[in-house]
Amino acid sequence: MKETRNILVTGGAGYIGSHTVVELIQRGYNPIIVDDFRNSSSEVIDGIEAIVGTRPVTYELDVTCKSDLSKVFATHDLDGVIHFAAYKAVGESVDHPLMYYRNNVDSLINCLELSEVFGVKNFVFSSSCTVYGQPKESSIVTEDTPIQEANSPYGATKQMCERIISDVHKSGSSLRFLNLRYFNPVGAHPSSHIGELPLGRPSNLLPFVTQTAAGLLNELTVFGNDYNTVDGTCIRDYIHVVDLANAHIKGFQWLELQSGPALETINVGTGHGISVLEIIHTFEKVSGLQLNWAYGPRRSGDVEQIFADTTKAKNCLGWEAERSVEDAIVDAWNWQKKMGDE
Ligand code: NAD
Ligand code: WQD
């Protein structure tokens, strides 16, 4: 086996991609980033460099442009692909479905076709807990929990991409596949050099909390307090983005151990459900601030409660989350404050 493995990281300047690139470099891998910065910035590459001391090779190009992407495959002797590049906002996908289908599905197909042409062996795909919808039987979901009809075009793209990968696997492809179904990634790198960069008004909870505390937004609305949960607010499985990044390292190592074609799908969460109110109270505790928030109506399409059964991640990958939600909130708040200082 080669000493240094080259891994193409599409969307490597994005939130999860950038944290994964840091962990890859720190473990001796050579990530090659492809990102056109449509939902990130070239400054993220500076942040990565500030943490690891080297600048990852980066190509600014659109993954849906196959001819451009093929030049990257032709230039580097790739050992694997981690495919993050996609649009990810549920609400936006309802308003712009074609944009979502075009980007999320085309980018995957290009990566798969080129992996086959160039004989790349290992492929990690960023999937999402969104594929489970509101689970019928229990809020704790295993990978075998039946998938529900997607309640957004975004969710449908993740289901389609998993289906495409499954069909390619069944067709006899020599690729080894790993679909990682992320739950709710939160937090930032503890160095505060990289973190989440929501463009415009955030739709996810934690950036909304930190931006409200920083005075960029007036008030956080808690969407619903009449759910059948401990305190009436929704329950999610919030996972620190550095833990999530590390799941990719374990995942890649697992792929490399497979002797032939493979396909696994694995939940990446903490296994614990946390309510919206608990997030707010933990934020207030770690920041020493009082957050301006109020109850509002339920948000349409919200699932009442869902969290991951992480048994497969432990047994198969030898991975489990190490950081608490408190760690994630501390890191997210430090990152928000750092952005305010710049
Ligand atoms: P992000 O938007 O921060 O990162 C995606 C990156 O891909 C961005 O840097 C963007 O510029 C780039 N990109 C998008 N389309 C591109 C294209 N056609 N060509 C080149 N670059 C392109 O998102 P993220 O939160 O880091 O999510 C990464 C992946 O994880 C996505 O596939 C997303 O669906 C999935 N995911 C995210 C979450 C979440 O809550 N953040 C949860 C589950 C799954
Ligand atoms: C979390 C909780 C809201 C904002 C989304 C995608 C999912 C996955 C992860 C990509 C919910 C509540 C939120 C606010 C609130 N992404 N909330 N006030 O909806 O669990 O998942 O991100 O794959 O596909 O759907 O995350 O952060 O939007 O919400 O009360 O201003 O916070 O109702 O209960 P969600 P979220």
Side-chain angles (χ1 to χ4, degrees):
M1 196 187 280
K2 285 193 302 191
E3 232 170 71
T4 305
R5 262 92 82 240
N6 298 324
I7 304 183
L8 179 71
V9 184
T10 73
Y15 175 43
I16 306 167
S18 58
H19 289 82
T20 303
V21 165
V22 165
E23 299 303 313
L24 284 167
I25 294 173
Q26 288 178 335
R27 280 166 189 76
Y29 289 94
N30 181 34
I32 292 133
I33 295 176
V34 169
D35 201 307
D36 63 4
F37 306 120
R38 67 180 67 192
N39 198 35
S40 52
S41 139
S42 60
E43 285 171 24
V44 174
I45 311 300
D46 303 336
I48 294 172
E49 187 176 7
I51 299 170
V52 297
T54 54
R55 199 166 180 84
V57 174
T58 303
Y59 293 90
E60 183 173 349
L61 61 85
D62 180 349
V63 179
T64 65
C65 179
K66 192 173 169 190
S67 57
D68 283 354
L69 187 62
S70 73
K71 291 180 195 139
V72 182
F73 276 79
T75 304
H76 299 274
D77 177 17
L78 296 176
D79 298 285
V81 174
I82 305 183
H83 179 49
F84 292 104
Y87 290 132
K88 62 163 179 180
V90 172
E92 184 183 59
S93 78
V94 174
D95 296 334
H96 302 285
L98 292 176
M99 188 173 111
Y100 270 67
Y101 288 115
R102 171 68 73 194
N103 194 39
N104 293 8
V105 179
D106 259 15
S107 63
L108 173 75
I109 293 175
N110 283 348
C111 289
L112 291 175
E113 285 178 345
L114 290 169
S115 294
E116 297 223 304
V117 169
F118 287 90
V120 178
K121 291 228 159 45
N122 304 300
F123 200 99
V124 181
F125 173 65
S126 294
S127 191
S128 168
C129 66
T130 200
V131 301
Y132 296 116
Q134 172 64 69
K136 292 217 163 65
E137 311 252 293
S138 155
S139 342
I140 179 156
V141 290
T142 72
E143 293 77 359
D144 296 325
T145 298
I147 283 181
Q148 306 292 329
E149 194 184 333
N151 61 3
S152 72
Y154 168 71
T157 69
K158 290 296 168 191
Q159 294 184 349
M160 274 176 202
C161 286
E162 285 199 12
R163 170 69 196 258
I164 290 167
I165 287 172
S166 165
D167 287 344
V168 172
H169 172 68
K170 282 188 207 147
S171 75
S173 165
S174 61
L175 273 156
R176 307 157 181 162
F177 291 109
L178 180 61
N179 296 323
L180 294 179
R181 290 181 180 156
Y182 315 152
F183 280 65
N184 289 59
V186 285
H189 196 269
S191 66
S192 298
H193 284 303
I194 52 172
E196 196 166 3
L197 280 174
L199 290 184
R201 194 178 170 84
S203 53
N204 290 119
L205 177 62
L206 202 54
F208 211 106
V209 166
T210 58
Q211 290 196 16
T212 305
L216 302 172
L217 300 167
N218 289 335
E219 183 182 78
L220 168 76
T221 303
V222 173
F223 298 137
N225 61 342
D226 57 351
Y227 286 101
N228 185 23
T229 61
V230 267
D231 56 24
T233 66
C234 292
I235 305 277
R236 297 287 183 274
D237 185 336
Y238 296 94
I239 171 148
H240 196 300
V241 66
V242 174
D243 279 334
L244 175 54
N246 280 323
H248 293 78
I249 312 295
K250 292 284 190 183
F252 201 83
Q253 289 168 345
W254 177 83
L255 283 173
E256 288 192 301
L257 287 174
Q258 305 312 302
S259 51
L263 168 57
E264 272 303 347
T265 298
I266 298 188
N267 287 340
V268 188
T270 65
H272 304 292
I274 309 257
S275 76
V276 177
L277 275 194
E278 285 173 282
I279 292 283
I280 293 174
H281 293 148
T282 308
F283 177 79
E284 290 182 330
K285 189 175 116 200
V286 305
S287 68
L289 298 171
Q290 231 188 324
L291 194 70
N292 192 25
W293 67 272
Y295 288 122
R298 290 181 175 198
R299 180 173 68 178
S300 134
D302 259 345
V303 164
E304 181 170 280
Q305 48 183 320
I306 182 168
F307 51 101
D309 182 316
T310 56
T311 311
K312 195 167 175 186
K314 274 182 221 150
N315 292 347
C316 201
L317 306 184
W319 173 90
E320 58 187 317
E322 291 172 0
R323 291 157 184 82
S324 66
V325 75
E326 196 164 316
D327 296 332
I329 291 176
V330 168
D331 292 333
W333 182 226
N334 286 336
W335 166 244
Q336 181 70 55
K337 286 190 289 188
K338 166 150 189 249
M339 283 192 293
D341 291 343
E342 279 171 356

